[in-house]
Amino acid sequence: MGFKAIRGDIVHAPSKESLEIHPDSYIVSDGKNIVGVFSEIPEAYGGIEIIDHEGCLVMPGFTDLHTHGPQYANLGLGLDMELLSWLEARTFPEEIRFSEIVYADRIYRQFVRDMVREGTLNAVVFGTVFLESTIRLMEILESSGIRAYAGKVNMDRNTVKGMTEDTRKSLADTEELIRRSKGNDRVRPILTPRFIPTCSDELLSGLGRLAEKYGIPVQSHLNETLSEIEWVKELYPDSSSYAGIYENFGLFCKTPTIMAHCIYNSEEELMMMKSGNFFAAHCPDSNSNLSSGIMPLRKFLDLGIKVGIGSDISGGDTLSIRQCIVSAIKCSKLRHAESDESILPVSMTEAFYIATRGGGEFFGKTGSFEKGFTFDCIVVDDRELHPAEMPGIDERLQKFVYCGSYRNIIARYVEGNPVDPEMVMEMDLPVKGKLDDK
Amino acid sequence: MGFKAIRGDIVHAPSKESLEIHPDSYIVSDGKNIVGVFSEIPEAYGGIEIIDHEGCLVMPGFTDLHTHGPQYANLGLGLDMELLSWLEARTFPEEIRFSEIVYADRIYRQFVRDMVREGTLNAVVFGTVFLESTIRLMEILESSGIRAYAGKVNMDRNTVKGMTEDTRKSLADTEELIRRSKGNDRVRPILTPRFIPTCSDELLSGLGRLAEKYGIPVQSHLNETLSEIEWVKELYPDSSSYAGIYENFGLFCKTPTIMAHCIYNSEEELMMMKSGNFFAAHCPDSNSNLSSGIMPLRKFLDLGIKVGIGSDISGGDTLSIRQCIVSAIKCSKLRHAESDESILPVSMTEAFYIATRGGGEFFGKTGSFEKGFTFDCIVVDDRELHPAEMPGIDERLQKFVYCGSYRNIIARYVEGNPVDPEMVMEMDLPVKGKLDDK
């Protein structure tokens, strides 16, 4: 691993307040981590390898803080329904198919390829209840070259036949996944209770124990729809809040915790979310498609709650975090116009920050080009997007975010290594495990 | 012109209530208009030319009922602003450039190419105040092979230097445009007062006279934002409604009339909109980007008011009416969730209907495959969109609308003639007129 640099028109958002722009400059790294951004290669680094993307935009890769790999085939389908009926009619029947590793392998490869195509370099992914196919998901993520957390889903009640787990087996399989994924630094396990209604007390407390024992992070869903919240209240009439239930079982911020949606939050819950271990995954497309409502994003920013963006397919209809940035901005504007004038919309810069450095923080120092951050980036050839003159870099970023496509992304790097989305289709991963047991 | 047929998996929405689906069938035409849809070519039509798109989706082309050609270079830029400040900072400075026909030619060609790429076969387009560049726009639309209305914008007050027209010249140029575009059946003129605040009484009444004299339709903007409505009220304190001002000048439904946006309407205005001559252009992306609000689409459908979809670039951020369908559905769901539970969201079928047959009605019998309708369609190769098995045609339509791109559209036909979006870039249109005068 030697020092190297990338040359291009550099743009990133080290803070949510403003973009940092470096026309025709160099990101210099020790190969893995960033040393600095310079308009000329400093003398001390003379002669290092230079990856030349002159004239292209170089920006941080995106972080997808909440998505469901096994729902990829369902993308864009059945969106005339709301959450709970949609889960039963569309989601669960599809996820059952992932008991077959051949099917899982087929869908997960396309899911990961298409996610990487879109410039996502960090992803936090729900698998299914099935251990072997979740391990396959992790293998495919590993072979893709990006950074990821993946979770075996836990559900032992209120779900469908074929996916209702035996509580002890659910916990044992989860522990097995943790053990088998040890030693992998780029793709790691995350505890994944689906949501409160599908997990018994015994399961939740068992997961809480695993979180503590292995220091493993947690992801789940919170305050997505009013009917879901009503249901949770019926199940736990004595709890003061939905978030409080997770907390009682050791699943809220004892270890780093991602909660998707967070639309309808009590003041008590918002205070809990100010924990340094908490990340809200804002999923604007999913929240629109399932008529859930609009998360008060500005409020989260003002309170200093950490937020990232989640594609949340197939509640969401795109894997592109670039498109989700646009949706997040639009939703914040519609909330402002339709129902709460006091909450101002978020700006392009704020949404870009959330999609890169905001969610990236879950993975450590990644998502911007600050010193010491991982040497990750995507390279965008945006020439075809401009019918007239090329504008400044600020506007070129806007144009790419609003009007670009994954086809404009011509290169991706993670810790200095090129990442090729098409590779995962060819990787030799033997089909093993569960299939032969049947 | 002889009889011919197109073969494929056919889907269209002759009514907003349901899709009509014909797996592996034939649309038979007399070359220009549709005779019927058949599962086998009827004996009477044995031996006619068959355009074979077996396995592809064949659906009506889209109608864009409201868009601004000269704002194409601005697409995706400057969207952190609201309407009135955005007009001043971004829109007007760009439109002034269209006094130069060389520039207009360059941008309009790319605008029309990219609109046709997206499967729009009927378009109603705002030009600028400049006569010659609007004529160039019409020539490019004509050469593209699609059906269109284009309008020279009228503005003689409250705009910027360089675009404030002399009232009499504005009317004379408009009449000149009407005369020069006579005899063209596919691309026709439409009267285009920008909106009430930028047009004097004299200009508005002059346009009303032109509408009557030539039987020319009208397009403008209505009830887009609260501050705009406030401004109109200040200008016409005695008018009972914004729509009523247009009506007083003979510009509301005396001839076919498109009003874009229609978000904040009085009951009186909604009643006026039930006229057979009225079309609302719903522009969900623009209304989100400019924080305008959400049009009560369901209410329009329930009242039987005619509605089409408008991309409204560059308030909108895409020329794709396919994407606008998704935005219309999402917006209707968010309005339902955020501010008016009593108004139900629209379904996929309803939104698809609006984007095809709904807006298409402005052009006559177009936008579905009913008998006597124009023989127009787009052909979609959607195989790459399906990670698992190909589902039914209903779901394939959903997948294309939510997850497709213009690259999936492999052919387009208007009145039986193939339409190639790339052609407009090569068409030999001499640069003439204004440029030499300068």
Side-chain angles (χ1 to χ4, degrees):
Chain A
M1 194 170 63
F3 281 79
K4 54 184 165 183
I6 284 184
R7 176 187 185 182
D9 293 327
I10 293 161
V11 54
H12 65 133
S15 84
K16 65 184 168 61
E17 279 73 30
S18 62
L19 295 174
E20 208 178 282
I21 288 171
H22 304 270
D24 195 12
S25 296
Y26 301 83
I27 307 171
V28 175
S29 77
D30 65 10
K32 195 176 169 189
N33 295 308
I34 290 169
V35 169
V37 181
F38 307 96
S39 58
E40 301 285 343
I41 297 281
E43 237 174 277
Y45 304 108
I48 65 171
E49 182 192 345
I50 293 173
I51 307 166
D52 194 345
H53 289 295
E54 189 188 353
C56 287
L57 291 172
V58 177
M59 66 184 74
F62 300 116
T63 292
D64 190 339
L65 214 50
H66 179 75
T67 194
H68 293 262
Q71 293 177 30
Y72 191 50
N74 268 346
L75 199 69
L77 301 183
L79 292 171
D80 281 346
M81 284 175 258
E82 288 191 25
L83 175 69
L84 298 178
S85 45
W86 171 83
L87 279 175
E88 259 186 65
R90 307 252 20 153
T91 308
F92 292 156
E94 177 65 19
E95 289 194 8
I96 283 180
R97 301 187 68 181
F98 285 71
S99 64
E100 285 187 50
I101 198 163
V102 177
Y103 186 74
D105 182 81
R106 179 179 170 195
I107 302 299
Y108 281 148
R109 282 181 193 247
Q110 296 176 79
F111 161 71
V112 173
R113 178 196 61 195
D114 294 353
M115 181 166 67
V116 178
R117 277 182 178 172
E118 296 286 357
T120 294
L121 302 185
N122 300 308
V124 188
V125 188
F126 270 60
T128 60
V129 294
F130 306 109
L131 172 64
E132 292 303 331
S133 73
T134 306
I135 286 175
R136 174 50 51 102
L137 170 60
M138 295 180 85
E139 289 167 346
I140 293 169
L141 285 164
E142 164 68 13
S143 74
S144 78
I146 71 165
R147 218 175 273 111
Y149 285 89
K152 192 206 90 60
V153 170
N154 305 97
M155 296 197 280
D156 68 346
R157 63 170 177 171
N158 290 323
T159 175
V160 291
K161 211 173 153 251
M163 290 213 296
T164 306
E165 297 181 286
D166 171 79
T167 308
R168 263 176 292 182
K169 185 165 184 330
S170 179
L171 290 168
D173 281 359
T174 304
E175 197 158 7
E176 169 77 6
L177 185 88
I178 295 168
R179 269 197 299 261
R180 279 169 65 177
S181 55
K182 247 190 194 150
N184 188 334
D185 204 41
R186 256 198 309 99
V187 178
R188 286 183 266 188
I190 182 166
L191 296 172
T192 307
R194 187 164 210 123
F195 68 145
I196 294 291
T198 59
C199 301
S200 69
D201 288 9
E202 192 188 339
L203 180 55
L204 291 168
S205 35
L207 291 172
R209 279 193 303 274
L210 289 178
E212 194 167 14
K213 179 173 173 188
Y214 294 99
I216 301 277
V218 176
Q219 64 176 344
S220 195
H221 299 91
L222 180 68
N223 293 336
E224 182 174 3
T225 71
L226 296 170
S227 51
E228 164 217 10
I229 293 170
E230 208 46 53
W231 190 11
V232 171
K233 256 191 202 138
E234 279 165 28
L235 294 169
Y236 295 88
D238 299 330
S239 277
S240 68
S241 76
Y242 192 162
I245 304 167
Y246 287 114
E247 190 179 46
N248 287 342
F249 291 109
L251 294 167
F252 197 91
C253 299
K254 272 225 169 162
T255 55
T257 301
I258 298 170
M259 288 288 158
H261 309 306
C262 306
I263 301 175
Y264 304 98
N265 317 291
S266 66
E267 287 305 311
E268 178 196 323
E269 287 174 318
L270 287 171
M271 290 310 108
M272 290 168 67
M273 291 175 188
K274 291 175 79 171
S275 156
N277 265 341
F278 184 80
F279 288 78
H282 176 37
C283 308
D285 288 304
S286 171
N287 299 158
S288 304
N289 285 328
L290 299 174
S291 299
S292 305
I294 303 175
M295 177 194 175
L297 184 51
R298 157 76 47 217
K299 201 167 178 177
F300 277 66
L301 296 181
D302 289 350
L303 287 171
I305 299 169
K306 290 178 194 153
V307 187
I309 287 188
S311 65
D312 191 28
I313 71 154
S314 68
D317 52 294
T318 178
L319 273 174
S320 162
I321 295 300
R322 183 190 53 72
Q323 276 184 247
C324 294
I325 290 175
V326 175
S327 299
I329 299 170
K330 285 179 175 169
C331 281
S332 78
K333 289 173 175 173
L334 290 175
R335 191 180 162 116
H336 171 70
E338 283 291 307
S339 55
D340 194 349
E341 244 192 313
S342 72
I343 299 191
L344 289 178
V346 299
S347 67
M348 171 69 204
T349 299
E350 288 169 324
F352 181 72
Y353 168 86
I354 291 166
T356 51
R357 198 183 183 291
E361 197 179 333
F362 190 76
F363 290 82
K365 290 187 166 185
T366 175
S368 89
F369 300 142
E370 291 156 89
K371 191 178 167 184
F373 275 52
T374 57
F375 186 39
D376 303 355
C377 67
I378 62 175
V379 179
V380 173
D381 181 347
D382 58 334
R383 283 171 297 183
E384 65 148 19
L385 299 177
H386 299 280
E389 309 78 16
M390 292 287 275
I393 292 176
D394 180 4
E395 299 205 325
R396 286 170 62 196
L397 175 66
Q398 294 173 37
K399 183 74 104 173
F400 168 63
V401 167
Y402 275 92
C403 311
S405 98
Y406 76 83
R407 288 182 171 84
N408 299 114
I409 305 176
I410 58 165
R412 301 148 186 87
Y413 300 90
V414 171
E415 293 174 14
N417 298 309
V419 168
D420 176 358
E422 312 309 318
M423 283 294 290
V424 294
M425 301 307 289
E426 290 153 29
M427 278 285 169
D428 189 25
L429 295 169
V431 170
K432 62 186 178 188
K434 273 279 156 55
L435 196 73
D436 313 65
D437 304 346
K438 291 206 158 176
Chain B
M1 194 169 65
F3 281 80
K4 55 182 163 183
I6 283 183
R7 176 187 184 183
D9 294 326
I10 293 160
V11 55
H12 64 132
S15 84
K16 66 183 165 65
E17 279 73 33
S18 61
L19 296 174
E20 209 178 282
I21 287 170
H22 303 270
D24 196 11
S25 294
Y26 300 83
I27 307 171
V28 175
S29 77
D30 64 12
K32 193 176 169 190
N33 295 306
I34 290 168
V35 169
V37 180
F38 307 96
S39 58
E40 302 283 344
I41 297 282
E43 235 173 279
Y45 303 107
I48 65 170
E49 181 193 345
I50 293 174
I51 306 166
D52 195 344
H53 289 295
E54 189 188 354
C56 288
L57 290 173
V58 176
M59 65 184 74
F62 300 117
T63 291
D64 190 339
L65 213 51
H66 180 75
T67 194
H68 293 263
Q71 294 177 30
Y72 191 49
N74 268 346
L75 199 70
L77 301 183
L79 292 171
D80 281 347
M81 284 175 257
E82 288 192 23
L83 176 67
L84 298 178
S85 45
W86 170 84
L87 279 176
E88 260 186 65
R90 308 253 18 155
T91 308
F92 292 156
E94 176 67 18
E95 290 194 8
I96 283 180
R97 302 187 68 181
F98 285 72
S99 63
E100 285 187 50
I101 198 163
V102 177
Y103 186 73
D105 183 81
R106 178 179 171 196
I107 302 299
Y108 282 148
R109 282 181 195 247
Q110 296 175 79
F111 161 71
V112 173
R113 177 196 62 194
D114 294 353
M115 180 165 68
V116 178
R117 276 182 178 170
E118 296 287 357
T120 294
L121 301 184
N122 299 308
V124 188
V125 187
F126 270 58
T128 60
V129 294
F130 306 108
L131 173 63
E132 292 304 329
S133 74
T134 306
I135 286 175
R136 173 53 48 103
L137 170 61
M138 295 180 86
E139 289 167 346
I140 294 169
L141 285 164
E142 164 68 14
S143 74
S144 79
I146 71 165
R147 219 175 274 113
Y149 285 89
K152 193 204 90 59
V153 170
N154 305 99
M155 295 197 281
D156 67 347
R157 63 168 177 172
N158 290 323
T159 174
V160 291
K161 210 172 155 249
M163 291 212 297
T164 307
E165 297 181 287
D166 170 79
T167 308
R168 262 177 291 182
K169 185 165 184 334
S170 180
L171 291 168
D173 281 359
T174 305
E175 197 158 7
E176 170 76 7
L177 183 89
I178 295 168
R179 268 197 299 262
R180 279 169 66 178
S181 55
K182 247 191 194 150
N184 188 335
D185 205 40
R186 257 197 307 102
V187 179
R188 285 183 267 188
I190 182 165
L191 296 171
T192 307
R194 186 164 211 124
F195 68 144
I196 294 292
T198 60
C199 302
S200 68
D201 287 10
E202 193 190 338
L203 181 55
L204 291 169
S205 36
L207 291 172
R209 281 193 302 273
L210 290 178
E212 194 167 14
K213 179 173 173 188
Y214 294 99
I216 301 277
V218 176
Q219 65 177 345
S220 197
H221 299 91
L222 182 67
N223 293 335
E224 181 174 1
T225 70
L226 296 171
S227 50
E228 165 217 9
I229 294 170
E230 207 47 53
W231 190 12
V232 170
K233 255 189 205 141
E234 281 166 25
L235 293 169
Y236 295 88
D238 300 330
S239 276
S240 68
S241 75
Y242 192 162
I245 303 168
Y246 287 112
E247 192 179 44
N248 286 343
F249 291 109
L251 295 167
F252 196 92
C253 300
K254 270 224 169 159
T255 55
T257 301
I258 298 170
M259 288 286 158
H261 310 305
C262 306
I263 301 175
Y264 304 99
N265 316 291
S266 66
E267 286 305 311
E268 178 195 323
E269 287 175 318
L270 287 170
M271 290 310 108
M272 290 168 67
M273 292 176 188
K274 292 176 78 171
S275 156
N277 264 342
F278 184 80
F279 289 78
H282 176 37
C283 308
D285 288 303
S286 172
N287 300 159
S288 305
N289 286 327
L290 300 174
S291 301
S292 306
I294 304 175
M295 177 195 174
L297 184 50
R298 156 76 49 217
K299 201 165 178 180
F300 277 67
L301 296 181
D302 289 350
L303 287 169
I305 299 169
K306 291 178 195 154
V307 188
I309 286 188
S311 66
D312 191 28
I313 71 153
S314 66
D317 52 292
T318 177
L319 274 173
S320 162
I321 296 298
R322 181 190 54 71
Q323 275 183 248
C324 295
I325 292 175
V326 175
S327 299
I329 299 170
K330 283 178 176 169
C331 280
S332 78
K333 288 172 175 174
L334 289 176
R335 190 179 164 114
H336 171 70
E338 283 292 308
S339 53
D340 194 349
E341 244 193 315
S342 72
I343 299 191
L344 288 179
V346 298
S347 68
M348 169 70 204
T349 299
E350 288 169 326
F352 181 72
Y353 168 87
I354 291 166
T356 52
R357 199 182 183 290
E361 198 180 333
F362 190 77
F363 290 81
K365 291 188 166 184
T366 175
S368 88
F369 300 142
E370 292 157 88
K371 193 177 166 181
F373 275 51
T374 56
F375 186 40
D376 303 355
C377 67
I378 61 174
V379 179
V380 173
D381 181 346
D382 59 334
R383 282 170 298 182
E384 65 147 19
L385 299 177
H386 298 280
E389 309 79 18
M390 291 287 276
I393 291 175
D394 181 3
E395 300 205 324
R396 287 171 60 196
L397 176 65
Q398 294 173 38
K399 184 72 105 174
F400 168 63
V401 167
Y402 276 92
C403 311
S405 99
Y406 76 83
R407 289 183 169 83
N408 300 114
I409 305 176
I410 57 166
R412 301 147 187 88
Y413 299 90
V414 171
E415 292 173 16
N417 298 312
V419 167
D420 176 357
E422 313 309 320
M423 283 293 289
V424 293
M425 301 307 289
E426 289 152 31
M427 276 287 170
D428 187 26
L429 294 169
V431 170
K432 61 185 177 188
K434 275 280 154 57
L435 196 70
D436 311 65
D437 302 345
K438 291 202 159 183

